[in-house]
């Protein structure tokens, strides 16, 4: 059957495939082990065995046809066959129908595009009558039952889809089923009595990529917590990989990058995730990125069709993509021709009556677009008319504010007038001219050679506008790109930046928005505005525009307005440099919308607190260097050098390292090609300086070489005055160095690296995003462990394991609970220890898993009291340092330390009387009861409480983090003396009774249970007699007489008896409020009983305890869900 053309990795494939037939453009291959006598040797036997264990849905076809052009190393799979007869039919068809046609093409690129288009057409033709439902409900239900049975996850865990595949355990493939759910990647195999069960949470994955190895040409590699897993033999590996990529990135954003996720409400409910929804989302993201549309746009329909290109007089084949507010078209190769038609510009939608199945879209400005060979074109026309009707009404309401004659003013002018009207109403100070036109007006009387070249450039663009149209709906062709590479003329720069970035659409649908935000943000004072004020005069300080109040005020307004619009980003240092360049060539309102486009669409997550987006693109850049400049990779001992050097390139689009007259040409290309332009130029710069970099002995020498190169980059065609040009100020001493023209450099970057595809860059970004965020999380963990390890006896490895368990329990709480307030406290800007905190419910689960005292009958009460003891600031949350301190005492504490912990659990503020509402559950507490008791605190004066809260958390109650308060708190902790046991308060009678009960519960089912009960009875009796003696010295009557006789009579070992002894005559015990014990008394008494000392000093196998907790953590979570 024909296959959708996809690239094939041939590096190791030759070991699996044999060539049977070939010509200049096609290769027919047979898989080893098929149709050979003796099975084709050992390799053939192995391949045949691998293929035979697969079920029918995952078998590899034994024959295939690949397409290749003579001068290319890229192969495309275009057909496969189950037998020789089937594949020969496809081969014969290609020879008879395609081979003769290919000779007419001039370039290999055109041949490949033609073959791809033809094969896609054949697939579409074959699939006309054979569209089946994507998922069979019965099969899915059956898979869901197996998923629930095999893995025992809570019922809230939603299965998204499943695939048959092989999991490689060492060198042996295990055939089974891969289940993809909202929070986990799970695999199950049962073959010849051997069961393999694998559960990996998406948030633990640091690498997810398609790879090839010696045995198999393609597999999916998953790296989780340092372990590598390989899955292969998928029927549709690309579809599987896309879904895995989507789920992994979704989990990463939800759990680690809340800052971004909160702005993305589309998939905020894990229970609503579906396979189709994820695929649609992925397609919408690629659609919006390619056409530079607002993030809110969703791709609704895609139609294969032809678009009539009037200036070339031919129909170009491609896809019409329709969203809520746009009709877009891209030719098959994506570069030949593309068009964006906002529905607000559409005047009419018509259809032709002939057999061409054409849809004609007429827009303002007397322009029409003709799409032909559109399937179901009549229904499409009806839908588009409905959409345009709604859009026209919407925009008509806006345009009625300023009535304008359509003959005299174009659509862009219409929007401009609306915006200016609103600006005049709101603020009289907004600049309506680009700063360059104010400070450097072009003097037509003194035309020099540079000005003549500039006029020639303008003329070239005017010719293009005459052919392709002007404005948002112009045709974008290869000629457009060529003109951008040469540099956009100064007078057209602002207009074309708005157009290519998509900012023109944002401004058109938000008339007056900027002026309103300026008005609202006027006079605001916060951390962002303070930083803006500090950086205003550091932005292009050598340019006259920013030596005057006009430029400085405009820059202040734009930056402050954006910080007001997007407080999550606020202000980041690189933004001032970028915005000052935008203001030179664009009007103030346009500069604001260009900044919005850059920060929120074109460079996502670049300007948040952790600059994750920039770090991701750094990782992509490193990957490209490894692919394209391997000799440089081998020479550099540390790849992080490239990240540190190039970070400013990406954050400022080379503005901070290149002279301004050269940097604006880079910005031209960035607005046209996006991050692809920056990556290409970065590679070209390293390639140009390759010999110098290979000769460098250290990083400092390499940095110097690159800086010298940037100093010598010029723009010989720049019409800017020499006083403004930075490149022209290079001293004569440096003039011996070779000058490089920016236009030549950009052209070279396009020629050498222009074959990078948007889809590949998007995939690399997704793949590296996992790695970057996991690296940041690893840094957080290492910092936490370094701080905590100083105060505990646990080893670093044990602390590491404990941290993983702690964090995993926190995430479990969020997997299936949407309203969980816990993760709202995860803020990466907080100190490391405060980033992850757990509440009482999560602590109880961990206590049950980890505490050596968890077998006690009143373990829920012990967990509650321990949590209350650790929660010193009464915010109902504890961090890892507090958590590990308690676990460390239970595992490694001395007899005195463990006893002191138990003592403190039975006195305020930890202790509170606990009684379950359900008598049948005895000492077990429901989740609601647990949370209720955890929030009961010893009352304090309000002022004292507030002061403590601020002291504990200096960031609370303030507009920004108080660094001095943190330093003061840190110093207090360093100077904190070890707690003196004499400072502990005394324990009253009811607390002592509960303390005694807890000790009895701890001894239950211990091998030395009898002697421990006897010992505690003796200790209790001794303590009460001591108290009685003390009372007699003060009073003739002893209030402790009743209990003394009760405990003295215990002597036995029955648990039932000790309960009755402890509770006998409780009223007489409570008559005298003065009755109490000090910790020293209890400690001294218990030290006299060797059995008790032996029990508390018994060594604990910490490693086994942690391993057991890790393996049973998920199942315990399931039980908690069921209960």
């Amino acid at each position: 059957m024909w296959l959708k053309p996809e690239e094939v990795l041939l590096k190791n494939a030759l070991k699996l495939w044999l060539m049977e037939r070939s010509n200049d453009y096609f290769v027919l291959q047979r898989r080893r082990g098929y149709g050979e006598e003796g099975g084709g040797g050992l390799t053939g036997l192995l391949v045949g065995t691998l293929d035979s264990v697969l079920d029918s849905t995952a078998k590899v076809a034994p024959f295939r046809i690949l397409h290749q052009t003579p001068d290319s190393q890229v192969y495309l799979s275009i057909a496969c066959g189950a037998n020789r007869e089937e594949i020969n039919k496809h081969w014969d068809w290609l020879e008879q129908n395609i081979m003769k046609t290919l000779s007419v093409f001039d370039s290999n690129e055109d041949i490949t595009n033609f073959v791809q288009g033809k094969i896609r057409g054949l697939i579409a033709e074959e699939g006309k009558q054979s569209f089946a439902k994507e998922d069979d409900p019965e099969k899915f239900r059956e898979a869901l039952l197996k998923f629930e049975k095999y893995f025992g996850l809570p019922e809230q865990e939603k299965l998204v889809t499943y695939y048959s595949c092989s999991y490689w355990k060492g060198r042996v493939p295990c055939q089974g089923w891969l289940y993809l759910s909202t929070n986990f990647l799970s695999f199950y195999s049962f073959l010849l009595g051997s069961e393999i069960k694998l559960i990996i949470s998406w948030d633990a994955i640091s690498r997810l990529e398609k790879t090839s190895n010696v045995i198999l040409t393609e597999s999916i590699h998953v790296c989780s917590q340092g372990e590598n897993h390989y899955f292969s033999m998928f029927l549709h590996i690309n579809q599987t990989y896309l879904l895995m990529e989507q789920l992994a990135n979704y989990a990463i954003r939800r759990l680690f990058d809340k800052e971004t996720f909160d702005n993305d409400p589309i998939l905020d409910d894990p229970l609503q995730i579906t396979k189709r929804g994820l695929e649609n989302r992925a397609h919408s993201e690629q659609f919006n990125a390619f056409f530079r549309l607002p993030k809110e746009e969703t791709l609704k329909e895609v139609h294969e069709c032809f678009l009539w290109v009037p200036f070339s007089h031919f129909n170009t084949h491609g896809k019409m993509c329709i969203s809520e507010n746009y009709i877009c078209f891209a030719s098959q190769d994506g570069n030949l021709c593309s068009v964006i038609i906002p529905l607000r510009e559409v005047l009419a939608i018509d259809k032709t009556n002939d057999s061409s199945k054409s849809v004609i879209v007429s827009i303002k400005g007397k322009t029409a677009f003709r799409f032909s060979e559109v399937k179901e074109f009549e229904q499409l026309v009806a839908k588009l008319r409905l959409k345009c009707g709604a859009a026209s009404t919407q925009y008509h309401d806006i345009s009625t504010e300023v009535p304008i004659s359509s003959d005299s003013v174009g659509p862009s002018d219409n929007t401009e007038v609306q915006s200016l009207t609103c600006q005049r109403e709101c603020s009289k100070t907004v600049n309506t001219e680009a700063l360059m036109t104010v400070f450097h007006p072009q003097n037509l009387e003194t035309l020099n050679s540079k000005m003549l070249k500039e006029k020639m450039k303008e003329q070239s663009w005017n010719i293009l506008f005459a052919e392709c149209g002007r404005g948002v709906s112009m045709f974008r062709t290869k000629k457009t790109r060529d003109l951008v590479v040469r540099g956009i003329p100064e007078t057209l720069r602002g207009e074309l930046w708005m157009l290519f970035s998509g900012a023109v659409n944002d401004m058109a649908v938000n008339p007056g928005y900027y002026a309103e935000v300026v008005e609202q943000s006027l006079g605001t004072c916060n951390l962002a505005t303070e930083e803006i004020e500090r950086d205003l005069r550091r932005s292009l300080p050598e340019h006259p525009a920013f030596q005057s109040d006009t430029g400085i005020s405009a820059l202040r307004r734009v930056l402050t307005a954006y910080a007001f619009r997007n407080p999550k980003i606020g202000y980041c240092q690189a933004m001032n440099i970028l915005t000052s360049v935008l203001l030179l060539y664009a009007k103030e309102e346009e500069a604001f919308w260009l900044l919005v486009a850059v920060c929120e669409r074109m460079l996502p997550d670049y300007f948040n607190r952790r600059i994750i987006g920039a770090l991701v693109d750094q990782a992509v850049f490193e990957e490209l260097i490894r692919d394209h400049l391997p000799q440089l990779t081998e020479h550099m001992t540390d790849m992080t050098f490239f990240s540190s050097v190039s970070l400013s390139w990406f954050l400022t689009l080379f503005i901070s390292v290149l002279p301004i007259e050269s940097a604006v040409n880079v910005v031209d290309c960035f607005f046209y090609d996006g991050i692809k332009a920056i990556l290409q130029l970065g590679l070209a710069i390293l390639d140009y300086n390759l010999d110098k970099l290979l000769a460098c002995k250290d990083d400092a020498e390499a940095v110097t070489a690159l800086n010298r190169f940037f100093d010598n980059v010029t723009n010989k065609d720049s019409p800017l005055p020499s006083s403004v040009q930075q490149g022209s100020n290079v001293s004569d001493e440096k003039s011996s160095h070779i000058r490089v023209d920016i236009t030549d450099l950009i052209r070279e970057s396009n020629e050498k690296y222009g074959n990078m595809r948007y889809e590949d860059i998007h995939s690399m970004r997704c793949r590296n995003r996992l790695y970057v965020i996991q690296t940041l999380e690893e840094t957080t963990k290492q910092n936490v462990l370094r701080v905590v390890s100083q105060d505990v006896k646990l080893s670093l490895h044990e602390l590491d394991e404990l941290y993983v368990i702690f964090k995993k329990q926190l995430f479990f709480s969020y997997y299936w609970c949407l309203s969980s307030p816990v993760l709202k406290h995860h803020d990466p800007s907080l100190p490391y220890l405060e980033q992850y905190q757990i509440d009482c419910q999560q602590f109880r689960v961990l206590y049950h898993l980890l505490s050596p005292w968890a077998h006690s009958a009143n373990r829920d009460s012990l967990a509650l009291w321990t949590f209350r003891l650790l929660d010193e600031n009464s915010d109902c949350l504890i961090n890892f340092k507090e958590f590990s301190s308690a676990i460390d005492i239970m595992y490694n504490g001395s007899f005195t330390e463990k006893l002191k912990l138990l003592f403190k659990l039975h006195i305020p503020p930890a202790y509170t009387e606990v009684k379950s509402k359900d008598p049948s559950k005895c000492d077990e507490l429901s989740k609601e009861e647990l949370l209720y008791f955890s929030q009961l605190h010893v009352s304090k004066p309000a002022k004292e409480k507030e002061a403590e809260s601020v002291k504990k958390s200096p960031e609370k109650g303030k507009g920004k983090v108080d660094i001095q308060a943190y330093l003061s708190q840190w110093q207090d902790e360093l100077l904190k003396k070890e707690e003196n046991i004499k400072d502990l308060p005394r324990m009253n009678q009811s607390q002592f009774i509960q303390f005694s009960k807890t000790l009895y519960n701890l001894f239950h089912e211990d091998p030395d249970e009898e002697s421990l009960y006897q010992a505690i009875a003796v200790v209790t009796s001794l303590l009460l007699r001591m108290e009685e003696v003390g009372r007699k010295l003060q009073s003739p009557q002893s209030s402790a007489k009743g209990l003394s006789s009760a405990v003295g009579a215990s002597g036995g070992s029955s648990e039932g008896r000790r309960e009755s002894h402890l509770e006998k005559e409780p009223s007489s015990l409570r008559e005298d409020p003065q009755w109490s014990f000090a910790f020293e008394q209890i400690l001294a008494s218990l030290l006299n009983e060797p059995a008790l000392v032996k029990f508390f000093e018994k060594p604990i196998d910490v490693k086994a305890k942690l391993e057991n907790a890790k393996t049973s953590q998920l199942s315990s979570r399931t039980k908690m869900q069921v209960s």
Side-chain angles (χ1 to χ4, degrees), residues 1076-1089:
S1076 62
F1077 286 118
F1079 175 69
E1080 302 100 298
Q1081 293 174 286
I1082 296 174
L1083 175 63
S1085 303
L1086 289 173
L1087 280 170
N1088 288 325
E1089 297 296 326

Side-chain angles (χ1 to χ4, degrees), residues 14 29 41 52 64 108 204 243 355 396 406 515 780 787 817 1051-1052 1121:
L14 297 176
Q29 293 181 329
S52 65
R64 71 180 183 182
N108 291 333
L243 277 170
S355 59
H396 176 72
S406 60
T780 298
V787 171
C817 181
Q1121 287 284 324

Side-chain angles (χ1 to χ4, degrees), residues 636-922:
M636 303 301 293
T637 53
D638 187 4
M639 286 293 285
T640 55
F641 163 76
F642 298 112
S643 298
S644 58
V645 167
S646 63
L647 183 61
S648 62
W649 303 357
F650 287 83
L651 280 172
T652 66
L653 307 179
F654 285 94
I655 297 168
S656 62
V657 292
L658 285 174
I660 182 67
E661 65 275 11
S662 300
V664 290
N665 283 37
V666 178
V667 179
D668 294 341
C669 296
F670 168 74
F671 280 127
Y672 191 82
D673 268 333
I675 194 62
K676 179 173 175 275
I678 306 300
L679 293 167
Q680 285 175 191
L681 186 60
L683 288 173
I685 288 168
L686 294 179
D687 188 23
Y688 189 92
N689 292 278
L690 187 60
D691 294 337
K692 291 177 186 175
L693 291 172
L694 291 176
C696 292
K697 296 173 184 175
D698 55 35
D699 290 356
E701 203 176 330
V703 171
T704 304
L706 287 171
N707 287 340
R708 190 175 293 124
F709 167 79
F710 286 129
D711 287 341
N712 286 281
V713 174
T714 63
N715 185 350
K716 62 178 184 289
D717 296 334
S718 174
L720 288 178
S722 56
S723 59
V724 174
Q725 291 193 34
Q726 297 168 346
S728 62
N729 297 328
V730 179
S731 65
D732 294 335
E733 187 185 341
K734 294 182 180 179
S735 61
S736 59
H737 294 288
I738 300 171
R739 297 292 180 87
V740 183
D741 189 72
I742 187 65
T743 308
D744 296 335
L745 193 61
I746 291 172
R747 186 181 292 112
E748 188 177 328
S749 75
N750 269 278
E751 289 170 359
K752 282 192 174 182
Y753 309 109
N755 58 354
M756 283 192 288
R757 299 187 308 164
Y758 291 102
E759 297 84 353
D760 296 335
I761 293 172
H762 176 76
S763 182
M764 282 193 284
R765 273 179 156 181
C766 289
R767 183 166 68 245
N768 284 288
R769 187 181 187 84
L770 296 175
Y771 172 73
V772 165
I773 291 187
Q774 292 292 8
T775 303
L776 291 172
E777 287 300 307
E778 182 65 22
T779 303
T780 298
K781 180 176 81 170
Q782 293 306 324
N783 281 292
V784 168
L785 298 187
R786 190 174 65 250
V787 171
V788 173
S789 63
Q790 299 171 8
D791 301 325
V792 297
K793 296 173 185 173
L794 290 164
S795 69
L796 267 176
H797 176 72
E798 289 166 348
L799 268 179
D800 193 306
E801 296 282 295
L802 191 64
Y803 183 87
V804 170
I805 294 168
F806 174 88
K807 189 168 151 186
K808 181 59 67 179
Q809 191 58 45
L810 176 65
F811 285 176
F812 281 160
S813 306
Y814 200 62
Y815 283 167
W816 304 291
C817 181
L818 297 182
S819 59
S820 171
V822 181
L823 275 182
K824 289 177 183 174
H825 292 80
H826 176 223
D827 181 351
S829 68
L830 290 176
Y832 293 119
L833 278 170
E834 306 301 321
Q835 288 185 24
Y836 292 114
Q837 301 181 89
I838 58 173
D839 68 5
C840 194
Q841 170 66 8
Q842 287 116 39
F843 179 79
R844 171 169 66 174
V845 178
L846 290 176
Y847 187 90
H848 289 182
L849 287 170
L850 293 164
S851 173
W853 303 336
H855 62 276
S856 171
N858 66 334
R859 63 181 185 170
D860 277 3
S861 299
L862 282 176
L864 169 67
W865 297 331
T866 307
F867 180 83
R868 287 168 57 87
L869 177 67
L870 298 174
D871 182 21
E872 293 182 11
N873 61 355
S874 305
D875 64 350
C876 299
L877 293 166
I878 62 169
N879 61 35
F880 180 70
K881 184 178 181 181
E882 294 160 340
F883 170 77
S884 58
S885 66
I887 297 296
D888 184 58
I889 291 173
M890 294 180 202
Y891 285 169
N892 301 316
S894 64
F895 173 77
T896 304
E897 288 170 334
K898 289 179 181 177
L899 194 66
K900 185 166 73 171
L901 175 62
L902 281 170
F903 182 88
K904 288 167 77 174
L905 295 183
H906 292 82
I907 58 173
Y911 180 75
T912 183
E913 288 194 28
V914 176
K915 194 171 184 181
S916 176
K917 293 178 183 176
D918 187 351
S920 64
K921 289 192 174 181
C922 302

Side-chain angles (χ1 to χ4, degrees), residues 985-997:
R986 296 174 69 86
M987 182 182 281
N988 66 29
Q989 56 266 56
S990 65
Q991 294 160 4
F992 180 72
I993 291 171
Q994 184 58 60
F995 176 74
S996 304
K997 281 184 181 180

Side-chain angles (χ1 to χ4, degrees), residues 1091-1118:
L1092 291 173
V1093 175
K1094 180 185 173 185
F1095 173 81
F1096 281 107
E1097 290 190 341
K1098 189 167 29 178
I1100 296 168
D1101 188 345
V1102 179
K1103 184 180 177 182
K1105 198 78 179 169
L1106 292 172
E1107 280 299 321
N1108 184 56
K1110 283 177 77 174
T1111 53
S1112 55
Q1113 192 173 17
L1114 192 56
S1115 58
S1116 70
R1117 173 71 201 182
T1118 308

Side-chain angles (χ1 to χ4, degrees), residues 398-410:
I398 295 170
S399 62
T400 52
E401 295 177 15
V402 186
I404 290 177
S405 167
S406 60
D407 295 332
S408 59
V409 182

